[in-house]
Amino acid sequence: MKVVVICGGVGAARLLRGFVGMVPAGDLTAIANVGDDMVLHGLSISPDLDTIVYTLADAVSAERGWGLEGETWQAMEMIAAYGAVSGQPLDWFSLGDRDLGTHLFRTGALAAGATLDAVTAQIVERWSLPLTLLPVSNDPIRTMVTVAEGPDAGDEISFQEYFVGRQHSVAVSAVRFAGADAAAAGPGVLDAIDEADVIVIAPSNPAVSIDPVLAVTGIRERLTARRTNVVAVSPIIGGKALKGPADRLLVELGRESSATAVAEWYADVVGTLVIDTVDAAQVDAIEALGVRSIVTETIMSSPEITRALAETILDAGQP
Ligand code: FO1
């Protein structure tokens, strides 16, 4: 059975762990967000791609959910000592010493003319991961958020300035995916969706992790055409996001923070929404939106629960 998983970072990487071993390597494709990508200190950084790789390689920091376990930070200490640029300390975004090796490799390869999908394939090969990992596009897409409050209300800042620089504590009035209109789906992306038996939308942030993938020309249309086989997992459990600002962003963007609001967000592209047992009372409201709803344990606190969730999703995708 061919499975495609549309991915943000941490939540998606954890769910992918459930599919690895269950779905043969040649049949498992992850399509990842690149809207969080940035150039910092001259380096091309792709956080969601790297989070997926490090997680599946069992090398990710368990505490942070990004970067490498047992990392050292000598390069950051070195750069921090040079001070600040425009009032911002140079170490505002933490790049571990070994993680820097990945960014150096990616930056050098891109500068030498390689495409992001080819560089990513080489990284996946180095870590011997049993899947195909495709950046949604080789073209730059940048998630930008509009600040809703404070001295710079109305200004647009990059996703990482919002997420890391401001610790996602500032209210947001709009989200935009700069470059998405002009971006072409990466090699193999549209074919993978067309050929998949089941297409999964991971429990990532709908507004800033999944929407930048859906914004790439052709993806939303392809998913709509395959809607019966598209299964999303709600990242909102009992009204809250497990990690990150998905709950607050939904409210700031005019929705409510609930599994039902996630169903509404995805109603055009998703046939089934998997929701957590604590949200079982929302099944009728979700189904009233024309989205089938399946209730199960969705907090991936053990390999057994993660595998059971993955199995439930595969069943749900072939109604
Ligand atoms: N997240 C943070 O909260 N602080 C950081 O300093 C940070 C550095 C970082 C470096 C490499 C990388 O691949 C990810 C990193 N992240 C960091 C996570 C990153 O902001 C992700 O985009 C978010 O987790 C959203 O998916």
Side-chain angles (χ1 to χ4, degrees), residues 9 36 47-48 50 66 92-95 99 103 159-160 163-164:
D36 296 10
D48 284 350
D50 291 346
W66 54 266
W92 70 276
F93 193 81
S94 303
L95 299 170
D99 186 33
H103 309 310
F159 176 78
Q160 296 298 353
F163 192 89
V164 177

Side-chain angles (χ1 to χ4, degrees), residues 9-162:
V10 178
R14 293 193 174 144
L15 180 61
L16 279 171
R17 273 182 165 158
F19 289 116
V20 163
M22 186 178 297
V23 180
D27 291 344
L28 181 59
T29 301
I31 298 175
N33 172 37
V34 294
D36 296 10
D37 290 14
M38 65 171 163
V39 174
L40 184 67
H41 315 305
L43 299 175
S44 299
I45 301 171
S46 294
D48 284 350
L49 290 170
D50 291 346
T51 297
I52 291 167
V53 167
Y54 295 161
T55 302
L56 294 182
D58 282 331
V60 79
S61 159
E63 188 198 329
R64 295 189 305 275
W66 54 266
L68 290 159
E69 189 70 63
E71 188 59 282
T72 55
W73 306 93
Q74 293 193 47
M76 279 292 101
E77 284 163 24
M78 188 75 174
I79 199 168
Y82 290 112
V85 171
S86 311
Q88 195 165 38
L90 285 159
D91 62 346
W92 70 276
F93 193 81
S94 303
L95 299 170
D97 296 330
R98 293 179 64 226
D99 186 33
L100 272 167
T102 302
H103 309 310
L104 289 170
F105 165 67
R106 180 186 292 114
T107 305
L110 291 174
T115 53
L116 184 60
D117 70 303
V119 177
T120 304
Q122 205 171 335
I123 293 173
V124 165
E125 194 184 324
R126 174 265 180 256
W127 291 94
S128 308
L129 303 181
L131 85 171
T132 302
L133 174 58
L134 301 176
V136 63
S137 178
N138 283 334
D139 301 322
I141 298 168
R142 294 292 177 266
T143 298
M144 306 294 296
V145 306
T146 305
V147 175
E149 60 190 11
D152 56 355
D155 286 0
E156 258 193 346
I157 57 175
S158 74
F159 176 78
Q160 296 298 353
E161 275 178 76
Y162 161 70

Side-chain angles (χ1 to χ4, degrees), residues 61-310:
S61 159
E63 188 198 329
R64 295 189 305 275
W66 54 266
L68 290 159
E69 189 70 63
E71 188 59 282
T72 55
W73 306 93
Q74 293 193 47
M76 279 292 101
E77 284 163 24
M78 188 75 174
I79 199 168
Y82 290 112
V85 171
S86 311
Q88 195 165 38
L90 285 159
D91 62 346
W92 70 276
F93 193 81
S94 303
L95 299 170
D97 296 330
R98 293 179 64 226
D99 186 33
L100 272 167
T102 302
H103 309 310
L104 289 170
F105 165 67
R106 180 186 292 114
T107 305
L110 291 174
T115 53
L116 184 60
D117 70 303
V119 177
T120 304
Q122 205 171 335
I123 293 173
V124 165
E125 194 184 324
R126 174 265 180 256
W127 291 94
S128 308
L129 303 181
L131 85 171
T132 302
L133 174 58
L134 301 176
V136 63
S137 178
N138 283 334
D139 301 322
I141 298 168
R142 294 292 177 266
T143 298
M144 306 294 296
V145 306
T146 305
V147 175
E149 60 190 11
D152 56 355
D155 286 0
E156 258 193 346
I157 57 175
S158 74
F159 176 78
Q160 296 298 353
E161 275 178 76
Y162 161 70
F163 192 89
V164 177
R166 311 258 183 125
Q167 295 288 296
H168 49 76
S169 61
V170 65
V172 163
S173 58
V175 178
R176 182 172 73 93
F177 310 115
D181 287 350
V189 166
L190 297 179
D191 286 347
I193 294 174
D194 287 344
E195 289 163 15
D197 296 295
V198 177
I199 301 148
V200 184
I201 296 183
S204 301
N205 189 320
V208 291
S209 296
I210 300 298
D211 266 16
V213 175
L214 303 185
V216 173
T217 309
I219 305 248
R220 188 176 282 278
E221 293 71 14
R222 294 299 220 278
L223 291 187
T224 304
R226 300 294 317 281
R227 187 176 177 275
T228 317
N229 305 110
V230 181
V231 183
V233 181
S234 174
I236 303 293
I237 300 175
K240 295 258 170 262
L242 282 186
K243 198 171 188 285
D247 44 9
R248 274 174 289 126
L249 274 176
L250 281 170
V251 173
E252 287 161 13
L253 297 173
R255 311 292 181 108
E256 60 176 35
S257 176
S258 68
T260 307
V262 174
E264 206 177 354
W265 192 280
Y266 288 141
D268 59 329
V269 289
V270 160
T272 306
L273 181 70
V274 177
I275 64 171
D276 195 79
T277 46
V278 301
D279 293 316
Q282 293 180 51
V283 166
D284 288 349
I286 292 170
E287 301 216 330
L289 296 164
V291 177
R292 204 160 65 103
S293 179
I294 289 183
V295 179
T296 191
E297 213 170 335
T298 62
I299 300 181
M300 294 176 272
S301 53
S302 73
E304 293 72 28
I305 293 173
T306 305
R307 265 199 303 276
L309 176 61

